Amino acid sequence: GSFNLGGPKTVKYVAIDPFGVASAVGSQTYSGYAADALLTVTPAGSGGGTINSIVPVNSIHCSWPSQLGDVCSTIQSPGTPVTLCATPSSTSLFTGWSLPACTANDTCCPFTLNSATPVTATFITIPPVKVVDSLGINYYDLLQNAYDHAQTGATIFAREQSFTEILTANKTVSVAIKGGYDVGFVHQTGYSLFQGVIIRSGKLVMDRLTVR
């Protein structure tokens, strides 16, 4: 018969005489072969997006939420180089991989598949406040948190929704706040509502904000 050696193995041969007594008659070492490695990709989180393999090409195409025709697992030979890339939807952010070897904020994850490996890729819904300043682009759940972290010259973009907070401006910085944006912060489709604003220092330039 056939069997999976899974690597080098020594097979011993025995002979059994008519009385049922076994005695060794020889042995042989076989090189065998390494067992295949299974890669399983699991997308997760409150957002959405896709994970694709660019190496090996088209081995993985996995969507979140899941779609008909998704391929979220593949079997490869041990030692196969793999690169997975995550693409968030227009209303989502990619927040990282479960593999320690992959940098959390990098959308592409290169690694070597040596054994069965599960990988989780996480997407979240874009938070309702976006800050663009000298530190780059960052997202927050509250207007106050966004203002507190904003650098001078920053622009704060707020989604078209109601914020249950009173914004307090108490830094010696100049900040613009633009409200009424859609989920992807592409178009101003309405107004952002909040409870009030207190300006103690600095400068605020506000657009499409309504105080209730």
Side-chain angles (χ1 to χ4, degrees), residues 57-156:
V57 178
N58 297 329
S59 293
I60 294 289
H61 177 77
C62 194
S63 306
W64 184 248
S66 60
Q67 298 181 10
L68 184 66
D70 279 350
V71 178
C72 297
S73 63
T74 180
I75 296 175
Q76 303 289 336
S77 299
T80 298
V82 175
T83 299
L84 299 176
C85 289
T87 303
S89 70
S90 61
T91 59
S92 302
L93 296 174
F94 174 70
T95 59
W97 306 95
S98 62
L99 287 180
C102 297
T103 304
N105 294 330
D106 287 348
T107 54
C108 288
C109 173
F111 61 97
T112 300
L113 183 66
N114 290 315
S115 59
T117 303
V119 179
T120 300
T122 303
F123 301 92
I124 65 168
T125 302
I126 296 177
V129 186
K130 171 183 174 181
V131 177
V132 179
D133 59 16
S134 59
L135 299 180
I137 299 175
N138 291 285
Y139 295 88
Y140 301 90
D141 289 322
L142 299 174
L143 277 171
Q144 189 66 57
N145 288 346
Y147 173 83
D148 291 343
H149 289 87
Q151 306 298 301
T152 189
T155 300
I156 299 174

Side-chain angles (χ1 to χ4, degrees), residues 119-202:
V119 179
T120 300
T122 303
F123 301 92
I124 65 168
T125 302
I126 296 177
V129 186
K130 171 183 174 181
V131 177
V132 179
D133 59 16
S134 59
L135 299 180
I137 299 175
N138 291 285
Y139 295 88
Y140 301 90
D141 289 322
L142 299 174
L143 277 171
Q144 189 66 57
N145 288 346
Y147 173 83
D148 291 343
H149 289 87
Q151 306 298 301
T152 189
T155 300
I156 299 174
F157 301 90
R159 191 175 298 164
E160 181 187 1
Q161 67 174 58
S162 295
F163 293 87
T164 58
E165 57 183 306
I166 297 175
L167 176 63
T168 300
N170 54 8
K171 301 196 302 179
T172 56
V173 297
S174 177
V175 173
I177 304 178
K178 297 183 177 182
Y181 277 88
D182 59 15
V183 176
F185 295 101
V186 177
H187 303 291
Q188 284 179 295
T189 55
Y191 292 83
S192 300
L193 307 179
F194 63 111
Q195 298 297 315
V197 59
I198 300 173
I199 301 177
R200 290 178 176 162
S201 61

Side-chain angles (χ1 to χ4, degrees), residues 11-28:
V11 178
K12 295 182 179 180
Y13 300 96
V14 298
I16 301 177
D17 64 21
F19 300 100
V21 179
S23 57
V25 295
S27 64
Q28 184 172 350

